[in-house]
Amino acid sequence: MRTRAQWALAGVLAGLGGLATSYLTATWLGLRGNPVTDVAELVIRLTPGPVAEDLIQVVGRHDKPLLVTGVLIVVLLLFAAFGLLSRRWQGAGIAGFVVLAVIGLIANQSQYGAPATGILPSLVGVLTWLALLGVLTSYLRPQPFRDESSTDPQRRFLLVASGVGLGSAVVGLLGWKVGGHRRAVNAAREALDLPGVTNPGPPAGVDVGLSGIAVWQTPSSRFYRIDTSLSPPAISPNDWSVRIHGMVDHETTLTYAELVKRPRSEIWMTLNCVSNPVGGPLISNAWWSGTHLKDLLEEAGVQQGADAVKQTSDDGWTCGTPLSAMLDGRGAMLAYAMNGEPLLIEHGFPVRTVVPGLYGYVSACKWVRDIEVTTFDSFSAYWTERGWSVEGPVKLASRIDVPGNGHHVPAGRVRVGGLAWQQNTGISAVQVQLDGGGWQPATVARKNLRDSWVQWVATVDAAPGRHQLAVRAVNDDGQVQTAVRADPVPNGSSGWHTISFQADSVSSG
């Protein structure tokens, strides 16, 4: 019998060959994902809400790459284990690969709108696994009439193993090349001409001029991203449409070409995630262009008794939005441009919804495909099934960006600053507190853009030593931001953002 390492290598190489052929099959068929990402997305769907929230807090935007990496590591370890099991009993290794294929099939077919062709990558992969496992292990098993003292079988094994590894790499690269659909969609996006769409740049007076505060207009490439899709849907504008139906008088289906020809609306608006902790980074601000949902819904004829809109993404993600937020004139829209350019694929291209004043989990549906006017008691959405509240109005909040927590600054007059927000209400004032003393007013930049965050700046007298700085905001209704701390679950965090900093004596020498 050959060494355990060779049997493990046989399992790993057989597994990698199967992954390569399944990836090629998935890209050839133009599927959104592949068996690895399908399994990772199944893990996401099965993860309880509080656990998902904790993971987001720990790893932030790295959650999906880390999950895919983790799945790959586990799969590679299983491949090695299947190879070792085949040393004693060939059927055990075969059974292991078959079980993995079944998990891949379940993961794919449990997705929203999964095509029947989605089973093919897993089937091709398992057939490859079994064929390669049989070939590779044949060189490791004792054969009648073969001189086991000869090194020829081992050399042949290493030669075949090298060929399998190289072949898997070639097939994987071919899969990447064949997977040009996403690249073609991105090329179509870049070629789009959206007449009239503008990018005016930040309005006058929105910047307080303090270095270190987050830029007022977030570049599209740096806009925060939280979603459940490991492989964002790549949809050509020519293939996109949205259906408006349910409790309406006239069901409507709009194509992309029809949507962009309609009257256009543009708005500065901040989006933030319900998972954002106090003082957290899951918030960004951009210039959005699109079509008012109010007009579309009124044309469809909303029926009495409806109080919700169920939105469904191309990848099956759902959210429930209060109908009133789409009809009260606040600027809710089907957006097709961001910062003057077509949406990025990962931010919802070709079309997404944005609704001022609501957290993204109840409003901001990327890759939107279906809009159903309904009632809240007739359905449950993705995150509400996982413990979040049915409605998610944005809470009054503020943040300190300068100085950073734990930073050192020269003692004396210290300029501090940050952001404050409550979309669809607006910010009237911001106050800061040093070391538990009295609250002092900060200077707030332009306040008349109530759907966007505002920058603020203040100066505090900091003697040498350690200090604690807190901030709170006051909205346009006169409400003062609460000091009561609350976790993001179930409807957003609350509490004053507080940081500590060290004021250092300035040497006179």
Side-chain angles (χ1 to χ4, degrees), residues 307-311 319-323 325-326 355 358 362-363 376 379:
D307 63 5
V309 174
K310 179 184 178 183
Q311 302 184 63
C319 68
T321 310
L323 177 62
M326 291 188 172
V355 183
L358 301 177
V362 297
S363 65
F376 275 117
F379 75 99

Side-chain angles (χ1 to χ4, degrees), residues 387-475:
W388 271 258
S389 297
V390 172
E391 299 188 35
V394 170
K395 293 181 178 180
L396 176 60
S398 54
R399 177 178 100 189
I400 301 167
D401 285 355
V402 180
N405 190 38
H407 284 193
H408 288 248
V409 301
R413 302 278 288 171
V414 177
R415 295 188 79 202
V416 300
L419 301 163
W421 61 89
Q422 189 175 33
Q423 299 91 298
N424 199 46
T425 302
I427 301 296
S428 64
V430 173
Q431 302 165 346
V432 295
Q433 180 191 65
L434 186 67
D435 298 329
W439 290 95
Q440 68 179 75
T443 298
V444 180
R446 185 170 173 172
K447 305 175 187 177
N448 61 344
L449 295 168
R450 69 176 189 170
D451 292 323
S452 295
W453 58 19
V454 298
Q455 291 188 356
W456 60 266
V457 65
T459 301
V460 297
D461 291 314
R466 177 68 59 178
H467 296 278
Q468 188 174 71
L469 180 71
V471 64
R472 69 182 184 186
V474 182
N475 68 17

Side-chain angles (χ1 to χ4, degrees), residues 118-416:
I119 67 174
L120 294 178
S122 291
L123 292 178
V124 171
V126 72
L127 291 175
T128 305
W129 286 339
L130 300 182
L132 292 178
L133 184 67
V135 170
L136 289 166
T137 57
S138 69
Y139 292 96
L140 301 177
R141 296 184 184 283
Q143 299 294 330
F145 313 112
R146 187 169 71 188
D147 182 3
E148 289 300 309
S149 65
S150 170
T151 59
D152 288 344
Q154 185 170 1
R155 288 177 179 174
R156 287 196 294 269
F157 169 76
L158 293 176
L159 181 63
V160 172
S162 299
V164 170
L166 179 61
S168 298
V170 171
V171 171
L173 288 173
L174 182 60
W176 178 85
K177 184 173 180 61
V178 171
H181 173 70
R182 186 170 299 273
R183 294 189 292 277
V185 168
N186 196 53
R189 172 195 167 273
E190 292 176 351
L192 276 176
D193 181 21
L194 297 175
V197 169
T198 66
N199 182 14
V206 297
D207 193 320
V208 296
L210 179 59
S211 177
I213 298 179
V215 294
W216 190 84
Q217 180 181 7
T218 309
S220 300
S221 61
R222 290 170 50 194
F223 205 93
Y224 87 91
R225 177 190 167 199
I226 292 290
D227 54 56
T228 62
S229 180
L230 290 166
S231 180
I235 309 165
S236 169
N238 293 332
D239 296 332
W240 180 87
S241 63
V242 65
R243 178 186 176 211
I244 302 174
H245 65 109
M247 297 176 66
V248 297
D249 297 330
H250 314 288
E251 182 175 318
T252 304
T253 299
L254 274 174
T255 66
Y256 187 81
E258 291 169 337
L259 182 69
V260 298
K261 287 179 181 177
R262 295 182 63 90
R264 185 185 65 260
S265 174
E266 296 184 301
I267 186 176
W268 287 109
M269 196 184 82
T270 296
L271 286 181
N272 50 318
C273 181
V274 70
S275 296
N276 203 28
V278 173
L282 301 180
I283 181 169
S284 301
N285 188 55
W287 174 251
W288 305 91
S289 307
T291 297
H292 276 152
L293 277 159
K294 180 176 185 291
D295 297 338
L296 298 174
L297 291 171
E298 288 179 347
E299 289 176 18
V302 175
Q303 296 174 357
Q304 287 189 347
D307 63 5
V309 174
K310 179 184 178 183
Q311 302 184 63
T312 304
S313 168
D314 186 80
D315 66 353
W317 184 86
T318 56
C319 68
T321 310
L323 177 62
S324 59
M326 291 188 172
L327 295 177
D328 63 9
R330 68 177 64 189
M333 69 168 68
L334 286 177
Y336 45 76
M338 177 183 183
N339 290 331
E341 297 181 346
L343 297 168
L344 298 177
I345 289 178
E346 59 267 29
H347 286 296
F349 180 78
V351 180
R352 66 173 296 166
T353 52
V354 291
V355 183
L358 301 177
Y359 288 117
Y361 84 105
V362 297
S363 65
C365 185
K366 302 174 185 176
W367 316 290
V368 62
R369 285 288 206 167
D370 190 273
I371 296 175
E372 180 185 0
V373 179
T374 181
T375 59
F376 275 117
D377 61 8
S378 66
F379 75 99
S380 59
Y382 183 93
W383 284 114
T384 54
E385 290 175 346
R386 289 159 174 78
W388 271 258
S389 297
V390 172
E391 299 188 35
V394 170
K395 293 181 178 180
L396 176 60
S398 54
R399 177 178 100 189
I400 301 167
D401 285 355
V402 180
N405 190 38
H407 284 193
H408 288 248
V409 301
R413 302 278 288 171
V414 177
R415 295 188 79 202
V416 300

